[in-house]
Amino acid sequence: MTGLLTRLRDIISISYGQKVFLLATLPLIVAVFLITLVVTAQSRQLAEREIQALETQLIETKRAELKNYLSIARTAVVNTYGRAAPDDDAAKLAVSRELAAMLYGQDGYFFVFDYDGNNLVAPRQTYLIGKNWTGLEDLNGTPITDELIRIARTGGGYHSFDWPKPSTGATERMIVYVNGLQDWRWAIGTGVFIDDVLENVAAARADVQTRIRRTSFYIVAIAVTALIGVFMTGMVLNLRERRLADAKLKQLTQRIIDTQEEERGRVARELHDGISQMLVGVRYALELTRRKLGSDSAVSDSLNKGIDGLGSTIQEVRRISRDLRPGVLDDLGLGPALQALTDDFSTRTGIETEFETVVFRNRLDQEARIALYRIAQEALNNIERHAEAQSVQIALKGHRKGAMLRIKDDGVGMTWPRPERRRSAGLGLRNMQERIEQLGGSLRVLSARTGKTGTVIEAQVPLSHMLRPQNTIKESA
């Protein structure tokens, strides 16, 4: 018995190296297993949230598009409708013909039901016209006609149901926006099919599942590789992986910033080239209507107010577009862009603003220009909202270490860094800091809560972001 226990002890006993191996590998195996589970679960949850957010965003875009289409249609018929009596059949016929002629895209059209359920306009599905569709439901039992009439009676809104697509004949999901012409007891609306949205969401979900499986496989493969070389390259691999992770995080941060700027630019272009032009067209139509009505018309004052309000809206859209992505920043450089920004800030707020700059021998690269411009934009927003300042000085200069943007105000000041209990505040300043650190630069905030001491913000980018002279042709920062 004693000999058996001795042999068993010899078998169980392990060397110091084996103990180290077990201490190194077992936690690694457990950690990799748990990390795989956590990463997979978190990836699925995050991806699902992002997919749902994407679906919501796409559908909201479709809804906004529908509302704009219906607004355009109402604008087109408002004169005829506004002058007509409730029983003016000639006016109703004219409006019906005008709506029937307003087609857009392959499947876009306007439809009209009266409150009794009779279809009056359906240019792409003419078999509906002249028939009563009270009680109509889709394949899932969702009420269509009755619900559209109810929504129109209560002030307008959205409804979703399955409906045959005119271009293909297939039944697809459709979102409709409907409003009411109460004097005529009409429900007027338009719809858009969202089969493309649903297809994109389904494809994104399938792609996410594929990537999660691939990621899990990569994690397991990396774990096996790490176990094989744990004694030889443990510390080296750990340090290397950390550097790679930091580099990937930096690349990801830069990608996010680049994506944000691209999205800002896209939205700015759409506001300027799309919505702004549409508003100008509407204003032109209103001015033409005002001239046709003459100065003695009872609605002249209302038209004047509407035109003035529309003009203000156009200016506001252009201002928002300029704030999102100023064209002067790409065309002329940072200096002129900051000059335009400070001029607009001074005009809007009444705060005395001075801007000083010099022509750089070397021009800043695009990333540095965008970062410094966004820092100035965020700083001026903070000054406008919180500083209670009377004057602001902005200076942009180059020196032997790179380029520096300095913003100073004479406001009430602030405490920086923020106390832990107020970390939710100061997001703008933290965004500034992240932007400048991404470029390898530095951000300094000099301020204190001691009366009208003001605040100084200094953002510096290194020489690595200055282009060589041959890359610039008489251009400033």
Side-chain angles (χ1 to χ4, degrees), residues 48-116:
E48 189 62 30
R49 286 198 297 268
E50 290 178 348
I51 289 172
Q52 291 176 357
L54 172 64
E55 183 177 7
T56 301
Q57 182 181 4
L58 292 175
I59 290 177
E60 287 300 322
T61 301
K62 296 282 189 181
R63 288 188 170 192
E65 184 181 4
L66 287 177
K67 200 168 185 179
N68 288 335
Y69 283 151
L70 192 58
S71 177
I72 293 172
R74 287 182 64 94
T75 302
V77 303
V78 67
N79 290 331
T80 305
Y81 171 74
R83 297 192 188 101
D87 57 351
D88 190 342
D89 293 334
K92 291 180 179 180
L93 180 59
V95 170
S96 298
R97 289 177 175 175
E98 189 166 359
L99 291 174
M102 297 175 68
L103 303 176
Y104 57 93
Q106 287 187 331
D107 301 295
Y109 64 95
F110 294 91
F111 61 83
V112 176
F113 287 91
D114 64 24
Y115 285 177
D116 294 326

Side-chain angles (χ1 to χ4, degrees), residues 72-344:
I72 293 172
R74 287 182 64 94
T75 302
V77 303
V78 67
N79 290 331
T80 305
Y81 171 74
R83 297 192 188 101
D87 57 351
D88 190 342
D89 293 334
K92 291 180 179 180
L93 180 59
V95 170
S96 298
R97 289 177 175 175
E98 189 166 359
L99 291 174
M102 297 175 68
L103 303 176
Y104 57 93
Q106 287 187 331
D107 301 295
Y109 64 95
F110 294 91
F111 61 83
V112 176
F113 287 91
D114 64 24
Y115 285 177
D116 294 326
N118 298 306
N119 181 270
L120 304 178
V121 176
R124 292 195 187 274
Q125 294 169 324
T126 54
Y127 62 87
L128 299 173
I129 301 174
K131 298 179 182 179
N132 187 284
W133 298 98
T134 301
L136 178 64
E137 297 178 346
D138 68 1
L139 298 177
N140 300 318
T142 303
I144 299 178
T145 309
D146 296 345
E147 183 64 15
L148 293 178
I149 294 172
R150 185 195 66 79
I151 294 173
R153 285 177 177 272
T154 56
Y158 297 95
H159 187 38
S160 181
F161 50 88
D162 293 336
W163 189 255
K165 194 172 184 179
S167 60
T168 63
T171 299
E172 304 287 356
R173 198 67 178 170
M174 185 181 192
I175 295 178
V176 169
Y177 182 76
V178 65
N179 210 329
L181 300 180
Q182 306 300 342
D183 291 345
W184 289 358
R185 293 170 50 82
W186 278 15
I188 174 176
T190 186
V192 63
F193 292 91
I194 60 171
D195 53 317
D196 56 337
V197 173
L198 299 179
E199 289 174 0
N200 290 336
V201 170
R205 187 170 282 111
D207 182 64
V208 165
Q209 295 298 328
T210 301
R211 291 190 179 189
I212 290 174
R213 288 193 295 270
R214 188 183 303 157
T215 301
S216 300
F217 172 78
Y218 288 159
I219 292 174
V220 172
I222 291 172
V224 171
T225 304
L227 286 173
I228 294 174
V230 67
F231 287 108
M232 298 290 296
T233 59
M235 293 299 297
V236 175
L237 183 61
N238 183 44
L239 294 175
R240 180 175 177 274
E241 288 297 322
R242 179 158 186 165
R243 287 196 299 269
L244 289 176
D246 292 340
K248 288 180 180 179
L249 180 60
K250 188 173 182 180
Q251 292 175 1
L252 178 60
T253 303
Q254 185 61 46
R255 190 179 305 168
I256 291 173
I257 292 174
D258 293 342
T259 302
Q260 289 175 341
E261 291 299 331
E262 290 175 3
E263 186 65 14
R264 283 170 178 251
R266 185 187 66 79
V267 174
R269 288 191 298 272
E270 289 185 0
L271 285 174
H272 184 272
D273 299 336
I275 296 177
S276 180
Q277 299 303 320
M278 292 170 61
L279 291 175
V280 170
V282 173
R283 182 179 179 183
Y284 175 78
L286 290 176
E287 290 177 346
L288 182 62
T289 302
R290 181 177 59 183
R291 286 195 296 268
K292 289 182 177 180
L293 291 174
S295 59
D296 296 333
S297 173
V299 297
S300 180
D301 292 340
S302 297
L303 276 176
N304 290 334
K305 292 180 180 178
I307 292 171
D308 293 340
L310 192 57
S312 301
T313 303
I314 293 171
Q315 295 301 320
E316 183 66 14
V317 168
R318 289 174 177 172
R319 184 192 67 79
I320 294 173
S321 173
R322 187 170 60 250
D323 288 345
L324 285 172
R325 182 71 177 190
V328 67
L329 181 63
D330 298 321
D331 298 336
L332 301 180
L334 181 59
L338 289 178
Q339 183 68 63
L341 179 66
T342 54
D343 291 344
D344 180 71

